mmCIF file of all heavy atoms in Angstrom:
data_model
loop_
_atom_site.group_PDB
_atom_site.id
_atom_site.type_symbol
_atom_site.label_atom_id
_atom_site.label_comp_id
_atom_site.label_asym_id
_atom_site.label_seq_id
_atom_site.Cartn_x
_atom_site.Cartn_y
_atom_site.Cartn_z
ATOM 1 N N GLY A 201 -16.446 66.628 118.784
ATOM 2 C CA GLY A 201 -16.356 67.839 119.578
ATOM 3 C C GLY A 201 -15.017 67.920 120.282
ATOM 4 O O GLY A 201 -14.301 66.924 120.423
ATOM 5 N N CYS A 202 -14.661 69.116 120.700
ATOM 6 C CA CYS A 202 -13.418 69.319 121.449
ATOM 7 C C CYS A 202 -13.603 70.512 122.380
ATOM 8 O O CYS A 202 -14.514 71.328 122.207
ATOM 9 C CB CYS A 202 -12.230 69.526 120.512
ATOM 10 S SG CYS A 202 -12.326 70.991 119.468
ATOM 11 N N MET A 203 -12.734 70.623 123.344
ATOM 12 C CA MET A 203 -12.813 71.707 124.323
ATOM 13 C C MET A 203 -12.193 72.976 123.755
ATOM 14 O O MET A 203 -11.085 72.944 123.214
ATOM 15 C CB MET A 203 -12.091 71.300 125.606
ATOM 16 C CG MET A 203 -12.271 72.263 126.763
ATOM 17 S SD MET A 203 -11.317 71.732 128.215
ATOM 18 C CE MET A 203 -9.645 72.199 127.703
ATOM 19 N N ALA A 204 -12.915 74.091 123.864
ATOM 20 C CA ALA A 204 -12.423 75.358 123.318
ATOM 21 C C ALA A 204 -11.959 76.335 124.399
ATOM 22 O O ALA A 204 -11.167 77.234 124.112
ATOM 23 C CB ALA A 204 -13.504 76.021 122.458
ATOM 24 N N SER A 205 -12.446 76.199 125.614
ATOM 25 C CA SER A 205 -12.023 77.035 126.743
ATOM 26 C C SER A 205 -12.335 76.288 128.017
ATOM 27 O O SER A 205 -13.237 75.446 128.052
ATOM 28 C CB SER A 205 -12.740 78.389 126.761
ATOM 29 O OG SER A 205 -12.302 79.221 125.716
ATOM 30 N N LEU A 206 -11.587 76.608 129.082
ATOM 31 C CA LEU A 206 -11.823 75.940 130.361
ATOM 32 C C LEU A 206 -11.513 76.901 131.496
ATOM 33 O O LEU A 206 -10.451 77.524 131.523
ATOM 34 C CB LEU A 206 -10.946 74.697 130.503
ATOM 35 C CG LEU A 206 -11.139 73.897 131.804
ATOM 36 C CD1 LEU A 206 -12.538 73.269 131.840
ATOM 37 C CD2 LEU A 206 -10.074 72.811 131.938
ATOM 38 N N ARG A 207 -12.459 77.009 132.413
ATOM 39 C CA ARG A 207 -12.253 77.800 133.621
ATOM 40 C C ARG A 207 -12.706 76.975 134.819
ATOM 41 O O ARG A 207 -13.816 76.427 134.825
ATOM 42 C CB ARG A 207 -13.047 79.108 133.572
ATOM 43 C CG ARG A 207 -12.910 79.941 134.854
ATOM 44 C CD ARG A 207 -13.398 81.362 134.657
ATOM 45 N NE ARG A 207 -12.460 82.090 133.833
ATOM 46 C CZ ARG A 207 -12.817 82.891 132.823
ATOM 47 N NH1 ARG A 207 -14.080 83.040 132.524
ATOM 48 N NH2 ARG A 207 -11.903 83.520 132.130
ATOM 49 N N ARG A 208 -11.807 76.858 135.809
ATOM 50 C CA ARG A 208 -12.206 76.161 137.033
ATOM 51 C C ARG A 208 -12.865 77.176 137.946
ATOM 52 O O ARG A 208 -12.266 78.197 138.301
ATOM 53 C CB ARG A 208 -11.008 75.506 137.705
ATOM 54 C CG ARG A 208 -11.421 74.636 138.896
ATOM 55 C CD ARG A 208 -10.387 73.569 139.227
ATOM 56 N NE ARG A 208 -9.127 74.122 139.663
ATOM 57 C CZ ARG A 208 -7.993 73.424 139.743
ATOM 58 N NH1 ARG A 208 -7.979 72.161 139.374
ATOM 59 N NH2 ARG A 208 -6.888 73.998 140.167
ATOM 60 N N THR A 209 -14.088 76.885 138.342
ATOM 61 C CA THR A 209 -14.864 77.828 139.136
ATOM 62 C C THR A 209 -14.903 77.470 140.617
ATOM 63 O O THR A 209 -15.364 78.270 141.425
ATOM 64 C CB THR A 209 -16.305 77.923 138.601
ATOM 65 O OG1 THR A 209 -16.873 76.602 138.531
ATOM 66 C CG2 THR A 209 -16.325 78.538 137.210
ATOM 67 N N GLU A 210 -14.411 76.282 140.964
ATOM 68 C CA GLU A 210 -14.333 75.911 142.381
ATOM 69 C C GLU A 210 -13.335 74.775 142.547
ATOM 70 O O GLU A 210 -13.265 73.866 141.719
ATOM 71 C CB GLU A 210 -15.695 75.468 142.921
ATOM 72 C CG GLU A 210 -15.706 75.154 144.401
ATOM 73 C CD GLU A 210 -17.071 74.742 144.923
ATOM 74 O OE1 GLU A 210 -18.084 75.252 144.421
ATOM 75 O OE2 GLU A 210 -17.108 73.889 145.833
ATOM 76 N N ALA A 211 -12.566 74.818 143.627
ATOM 77 C CA ALA A 211 -11.653 73.732 143.991
ATOM 78 C C ALA A 211 -11.426 73.777 145.489
ATOM 79 O O ALA A 211 -11.313 74.860 146.076
ATOM 80 C CB ALA A 211 -10.319 73.850 143.254
ATOM 81 N N CYS A 212 -11.380 72.624 146.121
ATOM 82 C CA CYS A 212 -11.148 72.525 147.570
ATOM 83 C C CYS A 212 -12.207 73.287 148.365
ATOM 84 O O CYS A 212 -11.944 73.723 149.498
ATOM 85 C CB CYS A 212 -9.761 73.036 147.949
ATOM 86 S SG CYS A 212 -8.399 72.305 147.052
ATOM 87 N N GLY A 213 -13.362 73.481 147.774
ATOM 88 C CA GLY A 213 -14.412 74.232 148.448
ATOM 89 C C GLY A 213 -14.284 75.733 148.314
ATOM 90 O O GLY A 213 -15.116 76.484 148.847
ATOM 91 N N PHE A 214 -13.274 76.219 147.589
ATOM 92 C CA PHE A 214 -13.067 77.654 147.402
ATOM 93 C C PHE A 214 -13.629 78.074 146.051
ATOM 94 O O PHE A 214 -13.211 77.566 145.010
ATOM 95 C CB PHE A 214 -11.578 77.998 147.472
ATOM 96 C CG PHE A 214 -10.932 77.667 148.782
ATOM 97 C CD1 PHE A 214 -10.066 76.592 148.895
ATOM 98 C CD2 PHE A 214 -11.193 78.433 149.913
ATOM 99 C CE1 PHE A 214 -9.469 76.276 150.109
ATOM 100 C CE2 PHE A 214 -10.604 78.125 151.138
ATOM 101 C CZ PHE A 214 -9.745 77.036 151.230
ATOM 102 N N PRO A 215 -14.585 79.017 146.018
ATOM 103 C CA PRO A 215 -15.172 79.467 144.757
ATOM 104 C C PRO A 215 -14.300 80.512 144.069
ATOM 105 O O PRO A 215 -13.383 81.084 144.668
ATOM 106 C CB PRO A 215 -16.505 80.077 145.200
ATOM 107 C CG PRO A 215 -16.213 80.611 146.566
ATOM 108 C CD PRO A 215 -15.241 79.630 147.191
ATOM 109 N N LEU A 216 -14.607 80.776 142.812
ATOM 110 C CA LEU A 216 -13.861 81.761 142.032
ATOM 111 C C LEU A 216 -13.949 83.156 142.649
ATOM 112 O O LEU A 216 -13.029 83.960 142.511
ATOM 113 C CB LEU A 216 -14.397 81.782 140.588
ATOM 114 C CG LEU A 216 -13.590 82.560 139.553
ATOM 115 C CD1 LEU A 216 -12.164 82.031 139.451
ATOM 116 C CD2 LEU A 216 -14.277 82.485 138.190
#
Side-chain angles (χ1 to χ4, degrees):
C202 63
M203 188 183 76
S205 289
L206 181 67
R207 177 165 288 136
R208 187 157 64 194
T209 54
E210 184 179 326
C212 307
F214 299 107
L216 191 58

